[in-house]
Every structure is written in structure tokens, then in C-alpha cells.
């Protein structure tokens, strides 16, 4: 393998994936996306914060389901990655056949879920109790999977039964097993991590996970995990149902973009600095260490 000419085999809104032969290298860039658009400016050190946070959660939850993380030390990676560009924001991972389902779990009612509930009392087709207020904690977390759309396209909400059908088409005779496994893992991961985060002063309102299969057909947790890019983090000390909440995550960016529709997806320096500050604050609260 010519490591001098490595190019991403897959490039998403935020992450780049490289084939390193016996493993994959996932690089979390400093790009940030919102409303299915990649913003024009970057959030300095964001990729490194995301990588370190994923490392923390992968280690914290390895008793629930295996994950793909092998190392975040570039010395364990091909020579191509031993540069400042990749230091801190790269993760060497086990190769997986990724399942085409975004596994979303909601513990609180907010965002598109709140908008749907106001219309007909449901979230992704799941009927919820009457009288809920915006940002209320749900009686039990709910699993609301979506399709995994290509870059530039929108993910589509699907039912659990539809997720079985999608997986059955790819893995005949295994659709129900795999769909059930990733649903169970999603809820178990959320419950353990949300309880832990709450003890550290952070509410995890919702998040998403992605899973793949190893060479023996075992379900393995992949992608990123419980980062400010894939989750809504709220500060516990200011939590008040009945309104939208301040956040540690990119909801901060979403809110600014909504209030500035003519921004052309360009953030002012002040918002960039506040955003990375929020990410670092969340990392420090959750891990007990300052981001270096």
C-alpha cells in the first residue's frame, strides 16, 4: 500500500474514512454541518474534541456491545497519518460492513420531535402521553430509526418494522435479528450513558448510533459516539421544561443560523469561538479532564 498517496474512500459532512489495509482510519475534521449543509468555516480543534469524546464513550460502554475502536495514537497508524494534520483527530478502527440504519434514541421531547408532537401527539409514529411540554423528559426513551442518506440527501424516518424489512433485503433470514439487536443496544447504550452524564451535570436529550457487522456477522458499534455532533447535550443546572434549552452541542449553531437566514452558512468568529468553547466544556464535564 502506497501510504504517500492515500485518499479518503468515503467523505462525509464531517468525517473522512481511509482504507489502511487491515483497518480503517476515521478522521474527524474541523468541518461542521447543520440543516444538511457543510458550513463555510471550520471550528478549530473540533475534530480532536470529537475523537477524544468518542474514545471516552467507547471505553465506557464496551461491556454492552463491542465497538470498532482500536487506537487514536497515530504511531499505531500508517506513516501517512503521522503528521500534525491528523494528530488527535484520527481513530484506527476495525473494518465493518455498516448497516444502513441511523439508530436514533430520544429521552426528551425537542427539535423535530416536539414539532411533530404539537401536530398530532406522536413522534415518528409513536404516540406519546398528552400534556407534554417542550423539553420534557419522556416516560421512557423511544427508538426512532431513520435511513442513512447519501451526502446532500435527507434521512427518512422509518418504523422499527421497516428497519427489519431493509435489513432483511440485505441479509435474508437475519433482518429481524439484526434490527432487534441494534434497537436493544441503542436503548441500553443511551440509558447507561444518559444516567452517567446526568451525574456530571449534562442531560443527553437525544443521540444517534451506527452499527456494523464484523467478519463473523457480529453486531459492532461504529462511527462516532455521543459527541456534540451526534447528540443534544443540555446543562442540567439550567434545565427548565416548557421552552428550548441552552446546549453544549451544535444546536447552538443551528439556532444562530435560524436567526440569521441570510448568513449563507458562514459563521462569525464569535460564534466559532463560542461553539468550540461549548464542546470543550462538555468534554471536561463528562471526562473530568480539561481538553489539552
Amino acid at each position: 500500500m502506497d501510504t504517500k498517496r492515500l485518499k479518503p474512500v468515503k467523505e462525509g459532512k464531517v468525517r473522512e474514512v481511509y482504507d489502511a489495509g487491515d483497518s480503517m482510519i476515521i478522521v474527524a475534521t474541523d468541518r461542521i454541518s447543520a440543516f444538511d449543509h457543510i458550513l463555510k468555516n471550520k471550528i478549530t480543534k473540533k475534530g480532536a474534541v470529537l475523537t477524544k469524546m468518542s474514545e471516552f464513550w467507547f471505553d465506557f460502554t464496551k461491556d454492552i456491545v463491542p465497538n470498532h475502536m482500536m487506537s487514536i495514537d497515530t504511531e499505531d497508524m500508517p506513516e501517512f497519518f503521522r503528521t500534525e494534520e491528523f494528530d488527535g483527530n484520527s481513530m484506527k478502527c476495525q473494518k465493518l460492513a455498516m448497516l444502513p440504519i441511523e439508530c436514533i434514541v430520544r429521552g426528551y421531547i425537542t427539535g423535530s420531535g416536539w414539532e411533530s408532537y404539537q401536530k398530532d401527539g406522536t413522534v415518528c409514529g409513536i404516540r406519546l402521553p398528552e400534556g407534554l411540554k417542550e423539553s420534557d423528559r419522556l416516560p421512557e426513551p423511544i427508538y426512532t430509526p431513520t435511513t442513512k442518506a447519501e451526502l446532500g440527501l435527507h434521512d427518512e424516518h422509518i418504523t422499527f418494522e421497516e428497519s427489519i424489512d431493509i435489513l432483511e433485503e440485505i441479509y435474508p433470514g437475519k433482518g429481524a435479528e439484526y434490527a432487534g439487536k441494534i434497537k436493544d443496544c441503542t436503548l441500553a447504550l443511551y440509558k447507561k450513558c444518559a444516567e452517567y452524564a446526568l451525574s456530571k451535570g449534562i442531560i443527553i436529550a437525544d443521540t444517534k448510533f451506527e452499527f456494523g457487522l464484523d467478519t463473523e456477522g457480529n453486531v459492532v458499534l461504529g462511527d462516532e459516539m455521543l459527541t456534540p455532533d451526534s447528540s443534544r447535550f443540555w446543562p442540567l443546572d439550567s434545565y427548565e421544561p416548557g421552552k428550548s434549552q441552552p446546549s453544549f452541542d451544535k444546536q447552538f449553531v443551528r439556532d444562530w443560523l435560524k436567526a440569521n437566514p441570510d448568513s449563507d452558512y458562514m459563521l462569525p468568529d464569535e460564534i466559532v469561538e463560542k461553539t468550540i468553547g461549548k464542546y470543550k466544556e462538555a468534554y471536561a464535564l463528562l471526562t473530568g479532564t480539561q481538553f489539552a
Side-chain angles (χ1 to χ4, degrees):
M1 180 177 60
D2 186 356
T3 58
K4 294 180 181 179
R5 298 184 179 180
L6 275 182
K7 295 193 178 196
V9 295
K10 183 178 179 183
E11 198 163 0
K13 298 185 187 82
V14 173
R15 283 174 299 284
E16 297 171 349
V17 181
Y18 294 80
D19 189 337
D22 61 349
S23 62
M24 305 296 285
I25 309 297
I26 298 180
V27 179
T29 72
D30 289 343
R31 297 192 297 265
I32 189 167
S33 69
F35 306 119
D36 291 319
H37 282 77
I38 299 172
L39 275 63
K40 293 183 177 179
N41 39 356
K42 297 181 179 180
I43 309 295
T44 305
K45 290 296 180 185
K46 171 178 163 286
V49 177
L50 297 184
T51 300
K52 288 290 291 180
M53 196 172 289
S54 284
E55 178 195 31
F56 171 80
W57 289 119
F58 280 140
D59 186 62
F60 184 70
T61 59
K62 60 189 178 183
D63 61 320
I64 294 177
V65 60
N67 62 69
H68 69 167
M69 181 179 68
M70 298 170 71
S71 175
I72 66 166
D73 186 346
T74 53
E75 290 300 312
D76 296 328
M77 303 176 197
E79 185 178 354
F80 175 80
F81 297 96
R82 297 173 200 166
T83 66
E84 186 177 350
E85 177 186 357
F86 298 106
D87 187 29
N89 66 347
S90 305
M91 182 178 290
K92 182 179 181 180
C93 300
Q94 177 185 6
K95 283 186 170 180
L96 301 174
M98 297 305 292
L99 300 176
I101 306 291
E102 296 267 0
C103 298
I104 296 170
V105 55
R106 304 167 188 263
Y108 294 73
I109 188 162
T110 186
S112 63
W114 171 242
E115 292 173 7
S116 174
Y117 178 79
Q118 288 179 290
K119 291 177 184 175
D120 60 13
T122 70
V123 174
C124 301
I126 299 172
R127 184 155 297 281
L128 297 178
E130 294 181 4
L132 292 178
K133 296 179 289 188
E134 183 177 8
S135 304
D136 260 342
R137 185 173 184 170
L138 299 175
E140 285 292 330
I142 57 175
Y143 177 65
T144 58
T146 71
T147 58
K148 195 187 299 183
E150 294 298 320
L151 184 63
L153 300 177
H154 293 279
D155 298 334
E156 299 290 339
H157 291 295
I158 55 175
T159 64
F160 173 66
E161 289 71 25
E162 287 171 329
S163 75
I164 294 176
D165 294 339
I166 290 170
L167 294 175
E168 184 66 24
E169 283 189 18
I170 306 170
Y171 303 102
K174 290 282 192 176
E177 176 188 339
Y178 288 148
K181 177 72 173 178
I182 63 177
K183 176 183 178 180
D184 290 346
C185 286
T186 293
L187 292 169
L189 289 167
Y190 176 77
K191 287 176 181 177
K192 177 176 182 176
C193 297
E195 181 179 344
Y196 169 83
L198 205 61
S199 74
K200 301 298 181 180
I202 291 181
I203 292 170
I204 302 176
D206 53 38
T207 191
K208 67 102 177 169
F209 302 111
E210 294 190 32
F211 298 89
L213 304 178
D214 65 14
T215 54
E216 297 179 355
N218 299 308
V219 170
V220 178
L221 178 62
D223 197 59
E224 64 181 322
M225 183 177 183
L226 285 165
T227 70
D229 268 19
S230 65
S231 319
R232 282 190 176 93
F233 291 165
W234 297 338
L236 177 61
D237 59 7
S238 61
Y239 172 62
E240 185 181 345
K243 61 179 184 179
S244 63
Q245 307 297 310
S247 66
F248 291 106
D249 53 71
K250 68 177 182 180
Q251 188 62 37
F252 185 74
V253 171
R254 293 189 193 102
D255 290 344
W256 187 88
L257 289 171
K258 278 185 177 180
N260 296 272
D262 298 326
S263 65
D264 196 27
Y265 295 96
M266 174 68 79
L267 299 174
D269 291 344
E270 177 189 4
I271 300 301
V272 170
E273 292 170 9
K274 285 184 177 179
T275 300
I276 191 60
K278 291 285 185 183
Y279 280 44
K280 289 180 178 179
E281 184 183 357
Y283 176 82
L285 284 171
L286 289 168
T287 67
T289 59
Q290 296 294 321
F291 178 81

